[in-house]
Amino acid sequence: MTHYSILIIGAGPIGLSCGIAAQNENISYKIIEKGTLVNSLHNFPTDMTFFSSSEKLEIGNLPFTSLSVRPTKQEGLEYYRRVTQYYQLHVELYESFESVERLPNESGKNCFKITTSKETYTCNYIINSTGFYDTPVSLQIPGEQLKKVKHYFTSAHHLFNQRVAIIGASNSAIDVALEAYRKGADVTLLIRGKAIGDSVKYWIRPDIEARIEEGHVKVYYEANVSEITQNRIAFMAKNEHIEIDNDFVYAMTGYRPNIELSEALGIEIDATTGYPKYNKTTLETTSSNVYLAGVVIGGLNTREWFIENSRDHGDKIINHIRNK
């Protein structure tokens, strides 16, 4: 059974920055990731461009150069691979967390026993840096389990000449609608509210509004989906029951943190907001020696924290652990 001072769960940009900070202090650590490196970014649309500029995505004092001010997904993946290789970070991919047990160790300090899909470890500290993008918000309706229903979008070529329903009103839904339309799909937007979301990027809003006005993208407002079948989708729109023919559904209804993981680590979670209780200075949670890093600290409010404003979390946590 291998012992590390710190076990970091999640190999996203912030998890990697925690590993770099630990390595700089000569503190032993291991990063485990249930998917591939920066798995959330890997699941972004193929042609996506970051909202942030490249320098605001940098970690470990390594420059991030890109062809334009806002880097592409592919440039981001290349950058974080390069960071991992440069620092020779101790990352184990495709290894998922399974359970944790708190034990007293020989020195009397708290010690954890962590079981994963590959191995069992002991450690003195745990950093949860799992983000939120890996856990989609479920529709909880009949038919959501069908293969044609997707919560992630990568590319639109396969949607050519297909009837596509997109559920959502924010950036991800609007991006899918525009990409699908441009690849020759018959596109219908289903929006729960009375308008497109206020957070839609300013350079995208005129595009989708024009496509809707032209009739190239159909839209139903105040729409609540009730059932999805193999060939149709049913919903209520302004108190009217509507069913339309359908080949693919993209439920871009948002994502949430893995609250179950945080609860397994002993972290107190607000049942309404999903907000974890933690020290805003040290990022230590109500579970002693368990820390949060990155966007996971925002609970169900996934629009508050990003890579650019949580890059210092690793330094804060490692500084606190070092002082302990």
Side-chain angles (χ1 to χ4, degrees), residues 31 47 71 84 96 108 112 154 158 170 179 196 200 202 227 232 252 256 280:
I31 305 172
D47 298 325
T84 303
S96 56
F112 301 96
T154 53
H158 66 289
S170 297
E179 283 295 314
I196 292 169
V200 172
Y202 67 86
E227 184 180 13
R232 297 177 71 78
M252 313 308 289
R256 66 173 183 85
K280 291 181 172 59

Side-chain angles (χ1 to χ4, degrees), residues 25-321:
E25 293 294 333
N26 293 316
I27 299 174
S28 66
Y29 71 93
K30 183 68 172 282
I31 305 172
I32 61 171
E33 166 60 56
K34 70 184 179 74
T36 188
L37 190 74
V38 290
N39 194 63
S40 294
L41 302 188
H42 173 67
N43 285 324
F44 283 175
T46 301
D47 298 325
M48 187 211 75
T49 299
F50 284 94
F51 185 79
S52 303
S53 58
S54 56
E55 68 269 14
K56 292 182 179 180
L57 301 174
E58 293 174 355
I59 60 174
N61 295 317
L62 286 184
F64 183 177
T65 57
S66 56
L67 293 177
S68 62
V69 175
R70 294 185 180 90
T72 66
K73 165 189 170 177
Q74 298 305 324
E75 288 174 323
L77 294 177
E78 171 63 29
Y79 172 73
Y80 293 115
R81 288 197 302 268
R82 184 160 51 87
V83 169
T84 303
Q85 291 171 332
Y86 177 84
Y87 281 101
Q88 298 182 332
L89 295 176
H90 306 308
V91 181
E92 186 65 36
L93 303 176
Y94 304 102
E95 180 173 2
S96 56
F97 169 90
E98 291 187 350
S99 66
V100 59
E101 182 180 0
R102 193 184 286 265
L103 307 167
N105 66 10
E106 294 178 357
S107 62
K109 296 180 180 179
N110 283 326
C111 185
F112 301 96
K113 177 183 177 182
I114 302 286
T115 301
T116 74
S117 58
K118 291 184 177 181
E119 201 172 335
T120 300
Y121 306 97
T122 57
C123 62
N124 300 108
Y125 305 94
I126 299 172
I127 301 175
N128 177 6
S129 183
T130 52
F132 64 82
Y133 193 68
D134 285 341
T135 310
V137 174
S138 173
L139 295 170
Q140 297 184 336
I141 60 171
E144 186 175 9
Q145 77 285 354
L146 292 172
K147 290 183 179 180
K148 73 171 192 174
V149 181
K150 315 290 184 183
H151 287 279
Y152 296 98
F153 173 79
T154 53
S155 63
H157 171 75
H158 66 289
L159 300 178
F160 171 73
N161 210 27
Q162 301 296 293
R163 297 161 297 190
V164 181
I166 299 148
I167 305 169
S170 297
N171 283 300
S172 57
I174 302 308
D175 285 342
V176 176
L178 290 171
E179 283 295 314
Y181 154 69
R182 292 196 166 94
K183 296 301 186 293
D186 179 355
V187 178
T188 301
L189 258 177
L190 303 176
I191 295 176
R192 181 174 295 180
K194 297 181 178 181
I196 292 169
D198 294 335
S199 64
V200 172
K201 299 167 188 173
Y202 67 86
W203 64 88
I204 291 178
R205 180 178 292 275
D207 192 355
I208 188 62
E209 289 176 344
R211 305 294 79 76
I212 291 172
E213 185 176 350
E214 294 166 354
H216 292 147
V217 172
K218 297 180 285 293
V219 62
Y220 291 89
Y221 296 106
E222 300 179 51
N224 288 284
V225 180
S226 56
E227 184 180 13
I228 302 168
T229 66
Q230 194 61 55
N231 300 308
R232 297 177 71 78
I233 181 169
F235 56 94
M236 294 292 294
K238 298 182 178 179
N239 297 319
E240 179 185 359
H241 178 80
I242 300 172
E243 292 189 23
I244 60 175
D245 294 333
N246 171 258
D247 300 304
F248 287 94
V249 175
Y250 280 85
M252 313 308 289
T253 49
Y255 307 91
R256 66 173 183 85
N258 186 341
I259 293 173
E260 295 76 16
L261 171 58
S262 291
E263 289 177 336
L265 296 174
I267 302 170
E268 291 184 39
I269 305 289
D270 185 278
T272 302
T273 65
Y275 186 79
K277 296 183 180 180
Y278 66 96
N279 184 303
K280 291 181 172 59
T281 301
T282 66
L283 301 178
E284 186 174 17
T285 69
T286 51
S287 182
S288 176
N289 291 349
V290 177
Y291 296 79
L292 294 172
V295 299
V296 68
I297 69 174
L300 298 179
N301 181 5
T302 57
R303 297 181 181 177
E304 180 180 1
W305 292 95
F306 310 93
I307 298 172
E308 61 184 64
N309 64 356
S310 58
R311 292 179 297 166
D312 63 343
H313 287 181
D315 289 332
K316 288 181 177 179
I317 293 170
I318 300 306
N319 181 63
H320 188 246
I321 289 174

